[in-house]
Amino acid sequence: MSLLLAVGLSWALVALGPLLTRALGRRTGYACAAVLLGVAGVVTAAWVTGGETRVDVPWMPALDVGLRLRLDGLGFLFALVVLVVGALVMVYSAAYVRAPRPTAFYVLMTAFAAAMLTLVLADDLVVLFVAWELTTVCSYLLILRSGPDAGPPATRTFLVTAAGGLALLGAVVTVAVRTGTTELTAALADPAWQQDPVFAGAVASLVAFAAMTKSAQLPFHAWLPDAMVAPAPVSAYLHAAAMVKAGIYLLLLFAPAASASPVWPAVLITVGLATCVMGALFALQRTDLKELLAYSTVSQLGLLVAVIGVGTPTAMLAAVVHVVAHALFKSAAFMSVGLIEKRTGTRDLRELRGLARSMPWDATLLAIAVVSMAGVAPTLGFVSKETVLEAFFSAPDAGPLGLLAAGAVVLGAVLTAAYSARMVVGTLPGPRRDVADPRPTAPMSVAVGAAALGGLGAGLAVASVGALTAPAVSVAAGVDVDDVGYLSLWHGVNPALLASLLAVAAGLTLVLWRRGPVDSLLVGRRLLPVAGTEVVQRAHDGVIRLGRRVGDLTRSDAPARHLAVPVVLLGGGAVVAGALWRGLPEGTAPGPFDVGLLVVVVAGIVAVARAGSRLTAVVAVGVVGFGVVLWFFVLGASDVALTQLLVEILTVVVLVFVLRRMSRRLPRVRRRRAVGTAAAAVAAGVAATLGTLVFTGHRPPSEVGDFFLREAEELTGGTNVVNTILVDFRALDTLGELVVLAVAAAAIAALLDARRAVDVPQVPEPRTVVADPGRNAVFLQALDRLLVPVMLGASLYALLRGHDAPGGGFIAALIGACALVLAYLAAPTDDVPRVERPYLAIAGAGVVVAVVTGLLGFVDGAFLRPLHAYVLGVHLTSALVFDLGVYLAVLGVILAAVNRLGLSPAGDDGRDADPRDQRADRDREEVRVP
């Protein structure tokens, strides 16, 4: 259960973020760092005491999806990287962030940490995918809130990484269907990977695509430098040490299974090496330190992807060690750049000189991080670079292509040493310059020092690093821990060492020549024919334009254009249904009461068709609705009838509110169009009727219906089958509907707020028939005092009895809403305290109650599984609490409509009042009641 504790604590930190920022302000970073280190302690204790462990909490048993967590060597290593580097960044952020209450920043940063921890510990394909997408969303939001110019970069980043998410979704579905399970461990061990090359190749391609978008490989590399508009803590954590490592983790996780396909090594090595060299060349072109580090990250990630493609135990050891080394030196470098910018006001290499004298401690830390990035002894970066070179030099069956790959790695190492040296040669020497007070940035220096010195200390204590990385290599390479190679600062004179020395010497030479042939060849030149950001932006703009073109085909307010297609389909359906209809079943001939109700409904429809006034049409529609209500009662569907009745009442009220903003008269329709419309309406009605008779009138209840009728009471304890379906059997569907209702409430408020925000001329409010609204509402006020308390009591009663008798949260909310609407209509003004409630909060509370109730279901093994108990002999179920969520959501959306639509037209600027009606009202004498 320690894994659940670790993941739960990380997500609890996200929930507590607003409270912490309210209490601690910018210093919330210290509290977040403490919690992340505590979670790291929990994970470490679980690994030390139990080794490889698994947790399986059922989530959706019918789909074999569970909250499965696994702690193995690979997950443990990446969890430490996520948590420890995250803690350092949080300490750094406490001094970097200037906002007094940076709630959004800390909530999103901790959410990202929790999502990454869930990702690396997930042992279920669905959980893995959900966590993967959460990292994408957090990254997008953190970039988006960086400033007014962050919108386009955030969107481009989201589009690229979300495309990778779709590829991962395809891989998840394919693996789950082919192997028959969503359990990650079992799916990766399935023999289908070796037996089915098509399956292995397809999944390997999808996983590689997903990982390359997240880890910024060619041609998807441009999003990472584009995302550098984000502040230094975000860049250091998400885009250098953690988020981009999600793609590397995915490759390491799937490597043992996906390497069965020849597609896997070919794609990874080719793309990885191309990215390594190209990213390093881009880095040499840059004078902005942060942009230089961004492209160096692209290059280093390319090296990781390529060495994973080699696939040997030595290559996997190199990849795992380089993951740790890169997380330390790159987070230190990014945080150093942010610190330098804070204290000097710039990060341009051409303007930064003399940092060694101005900021000696911070300059030393930057130098240590850069030396590790260049792969110079005795840092961990040196060890990882040596191991990478050894992996390529010793790759089996190398041949000419292997030599070419090894040469590309050496070239990448040369360019890495060059841009690393450029960072310190161009900034540390020189005369002392004025910098800001170091005291406010002391926590930033501490965080940089911990990361930089961690890389140095890990290099000196490389044997301890080997003990940490060996279990991870065992998982990624599919070998025993004893078969994993060892790490050492000195392996003797070998080709890897000679190549490393050559790379450093050549890199320093390029830096010394930077103002000669190097700059003339690189600076200001375009290495690719088109920039990656331009490609993404053009694709984005093209999709938007295409969407507008497609939308133009149906962009019209005329209902006839939208109804044309379904009417044509219904017309064809009427022909088919008429051919299939075999007459009415025996014993279903309509009786006198059915005929009478049919006459009422037809009369209402005719009245609607002939109405010249909108209000008359609404009243006639109400007649049709009430006729249908009576028909439902006659057929025995009391739940449906009661729901229809309440919906009809509230619909009429809301429609009247809307009509006050429209012209009173319906527009005149030409006779030819009226005839065509009538024919289409009759055809649609005949088709719907015949279709209903054909498909429902000649068959017994379905197997699902029989199951509900037979088993509902025994399985749920409820005798109201309709309600048990809604809150027990299909509670997940109902939860989705609650979210829709809450969104509808927010949409009502947003749309009406947007209308009032439009600058339109004032239009006088239409005159009322009675001057005194208080007298006009005397009758309703008398009913209000009597009926509203009774209706509210009935609402509560309907809620409580819904599991066993007609009622439930939906019907109960409609009854309560009718009571509040009556109180609103009885009031002489718009100011009605009983109705003026925080409707958005009420609707949102309904969703929260439903979700929390669903989480309680995990006590019995699954989300939204009802819990049952007997209290004093009374059967209680958590489905009642879920029904309360339904009640609040429905009530919230109705209150939103009443509160916002019920405002007088003058309060809404009167923009919808019809000028013809205003002239008629001015000419009409006001009638006063004596």
Side-chain angles (χ1 to χ4, degrees):
M1 297 302 289
S2 55
L3 294 184
L4 284 177
L5 176 62
V7 174
L9 284 175
S10 65
W11 285 108
L13 180 60
V14 180
L16 293 174
L19 297 178
L20 290 175
T21 52
R22 181 177 292 274
L24 301 176
R26 293 190 295 267
R27 292 172 296 180
T28 301
Y30 302 131
C32 294
V35 174
L36 291 180
L37 289 177
V39 175
V42 172
V43 174
T44 303
W47 175 252
V48 172
T49 58
E52 185 170 328
T53 56
R54 286 183 173 85
V55 175
D56 188 354
V57 179
W59 181 16
M60 292 180 281
L63 300 176
D64 187 35
V65 176
L67 183 59
R68 299 185 179 101
L69 302 176
R70 176 191 59 183
L71 183 63
D72 57 12
L74 187 64
F76 175 60
L77 178 72
F78 273 85
L80 287 186
V81 169
V82 169
L83 295 170
V84 174
V85 175
L88 295 178
V89 173
M90 292 300 175
V91 172
Y92 180 90
S93 301
Y96 185 91
V97 177
R98 292 289 88 195
R101 287 184 179 176
T103 303
F105 173 80
Y106 281 118
V107 167
L108 290 172
M109 288 287 281
T110 53
F112 179 83
M116 277 296 299
L117 182 63
T118 306
L119 172 69
V120 300
L121 296 181
D123 195 30
D124 188 278
L125 288 166
V126 175
V127 176
L128 175 79
F129 172 73
V130 171
W132 178 279
E133 291 298 273
L134 286 175
T135 62
T136 298
V137 173
C138 290
S139 171
Y140 167 71
L141 294 175
L142 281 165
I143 299 171
L144 186 65
R145 63 177 303 278
S146 301
D149 299 327
T155 301
R156 290 191 291 265
T157 299
F158 182 80
L159 288 175
V160 173
T161 52
L166 292 176
L168 180 59
L169 177 61
V172 165
V173 173
T174 304
V175 172
V177 171
R178 182 65 178 83
T179 63
T181 180
T182 63
E183 183 181 350
L184 189 56
T185 303
L188 293 178
D190 194 277
W193 295 93
Q194 285 74 33
Q195 298 172 359
D196 190 345
V198 175
F199 161 74
V203 175
S205 300
L206 290 171
V207 170
F209 182 90
M212 288 175 181
T213 57
K214 190 79 84 173
S215 294
Q217 300 298 288
L218 283 172
F220 314 111
H221 65 285
W223 74 259
L224 198 148
D226 202 24
M228 288 301 120
V229 295
V234 176
S235 299
Y237 192 32
L238 275 72
H239 306 135
M243 176 180 170
V244 291
K245 294 298 194 305
I248 302 301
Y249 171 77
L250 191 69
L251 293 177
L252 289 170
L253 182 66
F254 275 82
S259 58
S261 170
V263 173
W264 182 261
V267 171
L268 265 58
I269 294 174
T270 302
V271 174
L273 291 179
T275 305
C276 176
V277 174
M278 188 60 66
L281 288 172
F282 284 147
L284 275 176
Q285 288 185 304
R286 270 40 191 193
T287 58
D288 184 300
L289 277 176
K290 195 173 181 183
E291 197 173 0
L292 185 155
L293 284 176
Y295 279 108
S296 76
T297 302
V298 171
S299 176
Q300 296 287 327
L301 292 172
L303 184 64
L304 277 169
V305 170
V307 77
I308 293 172
V310 174
T312 61
T314 303
M316 291 305 183
L317 176 62
V320 170
V321 176
H322 199 59
V323 164
V324 179
H326 181 264
L328 291 172
F329 67 66
K330 194 53 65 73
S331 61
F334 266 108
M335 289 189 289
S336 289
V337 170
L339 175 60
I340 291 170
E341 185 180 14
K342 278 282 186 182
R343 298 190 63 190
T344 65
T346 183
R347 51 178 201 246
D348 193 326
L349 275 170
R350 295 165 297 187
E351 301 175 7
L352 287 170
R353 299 287 295 172
L355 294 184
R357 289 187 172 89
S358 305
M359 305 164 52
W361 170 247
D362 297 318
T364 302
L365 295 178
L366 174 63
I368 293 173
V370 168
V371 164
S372 184
M373 183 166 60
V376 177
T379 62
L380 187 61
F382 167 76
V383 177
S384 66
K385 184 184 71 172
E386 294 279 288
T387 315
V388 168
L389 291 169
E390 176 62 28
F392 275 93
F393 290 159
S394 62
D397 301 325
L401 293 179
L403 293 176
L404 180 62
V409 173
V410 174
L411 176 59
V414 171
L415 297 175
T416 299
Y419 65 66
S420 299
R422 189 181 181 201
M423 288 185 65
V424 293
V425 170
T427 59
L428 300 189
R432 182 183 181 89
R433 60 176 296 161
D434 294 332
V435 295
D437 187 355
R439 285 172 295 180
T441 59
M444 299 166 66
S445 297
V446 170
V448 174
L453 295 176
L456 177 60
L460 295 173
V462 70
S464 300
V465 176
L468 175 67
T469 57
V473 177
S474 174
V475 176
V479 299
D480 293 335
V481 175
D482 296 335
D483 295 332
V484 176
Y486 69 97
L487 296 176
S488 175
L489 270 175
W490 176 252
H491 286 280
V493 178
N494 55 25
L497 177 64
L498 296 177
S500 178
L501 294 175
L502 173 65
V504 172
L508 290 175
T509 302
L510 288 177
V511 171
L512 295 177
W513 290 353
R514 68 186 186 280
R515 294 182 181 175
V518 175
D519 282 358
S520 62
L521 287 174
L522 292 179
V523 177
R525 293 181 179 272
R526 206 165 193 172
L527 301 182
L528 294 177
V530 63
T533 54
E534 294 178 6
V535 173
V536 177
Q537 190 63 48
R538 288 176 185 175
H540 173 260
D541 295 341
V543 171
I544 296 297
R545 286 193 299 269
L546 177 62
R548 287 174 179 165
R549 295 287 179 87
V550 174
D552 287 340
L553 301 175
T554 57
R555 188 173 290 116
S556 171
D557 294 332
R561 293 187 62 180
H562 297 285
L563 291 173
V565 174
V567 165
V568 171
L569 293 177
L570 283 172
V575 176
V576 176
L580 295 175
W581 189 36
R582 294 173 292 173
L584 292 174
E586 294 183 8
T588 59
F593 202 79
D594 295 316
V595 175
L597 289 174
L598 181 60
V599 170
V600 172
V601 171
V602 171
I605 293 173
V606 172
V608 172
R610 294 185 57 83
S613 166
R614 296 185 189 274
L615 184 59
T616 303
V618 169
V619 173
V621 169
V623 170
V624 175
F626 290 123
V628 174
V629 168
L630 291 175
W631 221 333
F632 282 141
F633 271 117
V634 170
L635 294 173
S638 54
D639 268 15
V640 180
L642 182 58
T643 303
Q644 178 76 10
L645 175 64
L646 297 169
V647 169
E648 287 294 333
I649 293 171
L650 293 170
T651 300
V652 169
V653 172
V654 172
L655 283 176
V656 170
F657 287 157
V658 173
L659 291 185
R660 295 188 309 155
R661 291 163 170 78
M662 303 175 71
S663 61
R664 289 183 173 83
R665 307 294 299 176
L666 288 165
R668 294 181 179 179
V669 181
R670 294 191 300 271
R671 183 178 298 275
R672 180 182 301 176
R673 184 174 181 182
V675 172
T677 303
V682 170
V686 170
T689 303
L690 291 177
T692 303
L693 292 173
V694 167
F695 295 111
T696 65
H698 295 276
R699 63 177 177 83
S702 65
E703 293 182 7
V704 175
D706 279 337
F707 171 81
F708 288 143
L709 293 171
R710 184 178 63 254
E711 304 290 345
E713 184 174 1
E714 180 179 349
L715 294 177
T716 67
T719 56
N720 182 357
V721 179
V722 173
N723 186 261
T724 59
I725 292 173
L726 293 176
V727 300
D728 291 271
F729 294 110
R730 294 181 58 196
L732 190 62
D733 289 351
T734 305
L735 177 61
E737 293 165 2
L738 299 191
V739 175
V740 171
L741 288 174
V743 171
I748 291 171
L751 286 172
L752 293 178
D753 284 345
R755 288 182 60 79
R756 284 203 305 274
V758 178
D759 186 16
V760 296
Q762 292 282 343
V763 180
E765 183 180 357
R767 297 173 180 267
T768 57
V769 176
V770 179
D772 185 359
R775 287 185 172 184
N776 195 30
V778 168
F779 178 71
L780 286 178
Q781 288 172 359
L783 287 177
D784 172 34
R785 298 190 187 96
L786 176 64
L787 291 182
V788 169
V790 175
M791 294 173 70
L792 292 176
S795 173
L796 179 61
Y797 177 66
L799 173 65
L800 296 176
R801 75 194 292 262
H803 214 232
D804 297 303
F810 187 74
I811 295 175
L814 295 177
I815 297 173
C818 286
L820 296 177
V821 167
L822 176 59
Y824 185 83
L825 296 177
T829 69
D830 293 329
D831 185 14
V832 187
R834 281 185 290 183
V835 179
E836 293 177 354
R837 296 288 183 260
Y839 43 85
L840 293 181
I842 292 173
V847 178
V848 172
V849 168
V851 171
V852 171
T853 307
L855 294 175
L856 290 176
F858 281 119
V859 174
D860 195 25
F863 183 65
L864 281 173
R865 176 170 290 175
L867 305 178
H868 301 272
Y870 285 88
V871 179
L872 300 177
V874 178
H875 175 245
L876 298 178
T877 172
S878 61
L880 176 62
V881 183
F882 182 81
D883 229 2
L884 177 62
V886 177
Y887 183 99
L888 294 173
V890 174
L891 187 64
V893 72
I894 296 173
L895 283 177
V898 172
N899 272 283
R900 306 314 297 267
L901 291 173
L903 294 174
S904 64
D908 221 8
D909 291 339
R911 71 176 55 83
D912 292 319
D914 187 78
R916 295 174 298 174
D917 294 331
Q918 295 162 18
R919 289 194 298 271
D921 287 332
R922 285 196 295 268
D923 295 336
R924 186 184 300 113
E925 255 188 73
E926 184 176 272
V927 179
R928 297 181 180 274
V929 176

